[in-house]
Amino acid sequence: MDRIKNYRQGAQIAFALKFLLAIAITRFSDFVPDEHWQSTEVAYFLHFGRGHLTWEWYANIRSYIPPLIILIVYKIASVFNCDGSFVILVKVPQVLQLALSAVGWNYFSRFASARVGSNAGKLATIFMLVSWFTTFCGARLISNQTEMSLNCIALYLFEIGDLAKFSFIMGLNFALRPTAAILWLPFLPEFCGKLKDKTFKNLLKCLKFAALPLVGALALDSIMTSSLSITWLEFFKFNFLSGGSAEFGVHSPYWYLYSGLPSVLGPLLAFLPFGYFCSKKTRLLTIYATFYIVVYSFIPHKEIRFLLPVTPLLFPICASVVSSLIKKGVQTNKIDGHFGTYLKFAVKLFIGLNLGATIFLGFFHQCGVKRATADISEKISQMDAPRVWIMTPCYAVPIFSHIHHPNIELEYYKCAPKVFRHLYTNGSAYPLIQPNGFATVDLHQDISKKLAGAKAPHFILAFQEHVPKIIAAFDKAGYEYKVCVTYFHSYIEDFARAVEILCNP
């Protein structure tokens, strides 16, 4: 009993630390544009009636459910006249996302113990709590994180046989992100086995529960777009039938094997293939996870965040293998030999690497953007009609939700697939369009043409490598700018190394 009590107390402390660390990380670092442009920026547009919607919302491939929840927060805050504060605009939505993540982590712990046993379940929980990946993404407003949290809840409900509630969660998950079906398709035989007697009646009940969030999402999205919007169908047509995802980058079919999975699992990756031989339950989990990774490997565009939804399967597999090897080592008195040393080293290495990665990626990688937007927001707070130009690759910077001002005039680059690019060419004397990557943009031409119909900005935000061209272009047009603040952004060469704010001397 004392061991159980101590474990529970330790788990509670670990959950609390992970919660605090996850919210602290989002204060400093950025991950991907979607964490802003599919959440707070959309809610900002709906609430204040100004801002910007990316092409996905015109293509009707995103559900309005996530931004609607944030919009409700803004509406409540407006009653108290505090809807313009940074805490309300950005931090409260992140805390809500983190609360959902914490619920998911809790259900994951219960699922892991039920699926692979108490000892392996505890070890899987440790892996989840220590993982830099789940901590780094825990409070981020990305659909993949929401999908992972809902998957954790669904896995536990599936494991205990509560199929009606499971179906509701799956229907909601599919409405939010249709790719959720990829994870759950191989579960169908096991699902049918859990229906037991009265199969048709139970199946019909599950279908009804799954249909509830789908119908609700259909109604909401149709109201928001003033037309019939089956977002999951449009998502499938764009990303799979037309191959639209390839416009955002194409990677090798083996990318998840040599980059994605090693980044997430580290030394635990060596144990993953043995999940097939460990036990019947881990064999099934290994098959399910393999199916997910194989299908995603055939999708041209790949990102590490696409592995978030499958992590609730990966950690129990690895934990079960490690736990089984430790048990066999104890039984054969070999746990203290070289084999036991390797196991202990692998687990310690996993913990050490993840703590290091959490600190580095959370506080030192891609950390300049938010400092720069906060600085500009403070500088313009006392101005009547500030003008700010964002001279960065499109959507690389959160704009309206982070640089809030009722009378601000913002200029920034926009981009979209060819079929939707015309949306951003109307209503402006010279729109800033980034058609084929920022490297192809003629900054000198864009600045000179934009100045022909717009006043020069008070402040310019740009990545350091583009600043000399920007200053030269303004200088040729008769405007003098200099770097007034520089913020370090990243040590990694593939990313901009510094973010700078330009202002009049």
Side-chain angles (χ1 to χ4, degrees), residues 51-372:
H52 177 76
L53 292 180
T54 58
W55 65 271
E56 293 114 317
W57 303 96
Y58 295 101
N60 295 334
I61 67 171
R62 303 291 181 197
S63 175
Y64 276 90
I65 294 176
L68 177 66
I69 296 172
I70 301 173
L71 178 62
I72 292 172
V73 172
Y74 292 175
K75 293 296 183 184
I76 295 173
S78 68
V79 175
F80 302 96
N81 198 29
C82 60
D83 53 333
S85 72
F86 178 78
V87 171
I88 296 297
L89 291 175
V90 178
K91 301 313 294 183
V92 171
Q94 289 177 344
V95 170
L96 292 177
Q97 176 72 302
L98 185 53
L100 175 62
S101 298
V103 172
W105 296 334
N106 179 54
Y107 273 95
F108 166 80
S109 179
R110 296 161 70 178
F111 157 73
S113 294
R115 186 76 177 194
V116 297
S118 177
N119 291 334
K122 291 176 182 177
L123 191 58
T125 303
I126 292 172
F127 291 160
M128 173 70 83
L129 289 174
V130 171
S131 170
W132 73 267
F133 193 42
T134 56
T135 305
F136 185 75
C137 299
R140 299 193 185 277
L141 298 164
I142 48 177
S143 57
N144 315 92
Q145 178 62 32
T146 303
E147 183 183 351
M148 191 203 81
S149 299
L150 293 178
N151 279 344
C152 290
I153 299 170
L155 282 167
Y156 176 72
L157 294 174
F158 182 83
E159 189 65 25
I160 65 174
D162 195 341
L163 298 183
K165 292 179 181 178
F166 161 80
S167 299
F168 179 85
I169 297 295
M170 278 300 92
L172 176 60
N173 215 353
F174 183 79
L176 295 176
R177 192 165 179 83
T179 48
I182 297 174
L183 181 74
W184 291 100
L185 276 175
F187 277 81
L188 279 176
E190 193 174 351
F191 176 83
C192 293
K194 288 179 177 290
L195 289 173
K196 298 179 181 178
D197 55 347
K198 298 181 181 179
T199 300
F200 180 77
K201 182 179 179 180
N202 290 335
L203 179 61
L204 189 61
K205 181 180 179 181
C206 290
L207 291 175
K208 288 179 180 178
F209 272 81
L212 287 174
L214 289 172
V215 172
L218 175 63
L220 172 64
D221 296 334
S222 298
I223 291 171
M224 298 301 292
T225 59
S226 300
S227 63
L228 182 64
S229 295
I230 309 176
T231 53
W232 63 266
L233 180 59
E234 296 300 323
F235 181 95
F236 177 78
K237 287 163 61 178
F238 177 82
N239 286 287
F240 293 93
L241 296 185
S242 67
S245 67
E247 292 199 34
F248 304 99
V250 176
H251 298 80
S252 165
Y254 309 106
W255 186 86
Y256 287 116
L257 296 180
Y258 68 75
S259 182
L261 286 172
S263 299
V264 173
L265 295 177
L268 295 184
L269 181 61
F271 300 110
L272 189 62
F274 297 99
Y276 184 83
F277 307 99
C278 187
S279 68
K280 182 180 179 181
K281 289 188 174 182
T282 54
R283 179 180 297 121
L284 289 174
L285 292 183
T286 306
I287 292 172
Y288 301 157
T290 301
F291 179 84
Y292 180 94
I293 293 166
V294 168
V295 172
Y296 262 84
S297 294
F298 284 98
I299 300 175
H301 180 62
K302 299 173 177 64
E303 294 184 43
I304 190 173
R305 63 190 174 106
F306 296 160
L307 290 175
L308 269 170
V310 77
T311 51
L313 301 184
L314 300 179
F315 289 132
I317 294 170
C318 296
S320 184
V321 173
V322 172
S323 180
S324 177
L325 292 174
I326 291 175
K327 183 179 179 181
K328 289 181 180 179
V330 171
Q331 292 174 345
T332 58
N333 295 320
K334 293 181 179 179
I335 194 64
D336 293 327
H338 295 297
F339 184 66
T341 302
Y342 172 74
L343 284 177
K344 294 175 184 177
F345 175 75
V347 173
K348 290 179 180 178
L349 182 63
F350 174 79
I351 294 173
L353 289 174
N354 276 272
L355 290 177
T358 300
I359 294 171
F360 172 73
L361 295 172
F363 299 99
F364 299 100
H365 179 57
Q366 294 185 212
C367 61
V369 162
K370 288 188 175 179
R371 289 182 171 93

Side-chain angles (χ1 to χ4, degrees), residues 480-482 503-505:
E480 185 181 355
Y481 284 88
K482 72 171 186 178
C503 53
N504 295 113

Side-chain angles (χ1 to χ4, degrees), residues 367-430:
C367 61
V369 162
K370 288 188 175 179
R371 289 182 171 93
T373 54
D375 191 356
I376 288 180
S377 185
E378 182 179 353
K379 290 179 186 303
I380 67 173
S381 60
Q382 302 302 318
M383 300 174 67
D384 293 330
R387 296 183 299 276
V388 178
W389 287 19
I390 309 294
M391 305 296 290
T392 66
C394 61
Y395 313 132
V397 175
I399 299 179
F400 293 92
S401 60
H402 284 61
I403 310 176
H404 171 72
H405 192 288
N407 301 314
I408 191 171
E409 180 183 315
L410 278 163
E411 296 291 347
Y412 49 93
Y413 279 92
K414 309 170 185 68
C415 59
K418 291 180 181 179
V419 67
F420 299 109
R421 203 167 293 160
H422 68 280
L423 295 169
Y424 305 130
T425 59
N426 301 322
S428 177
Y430 187 79

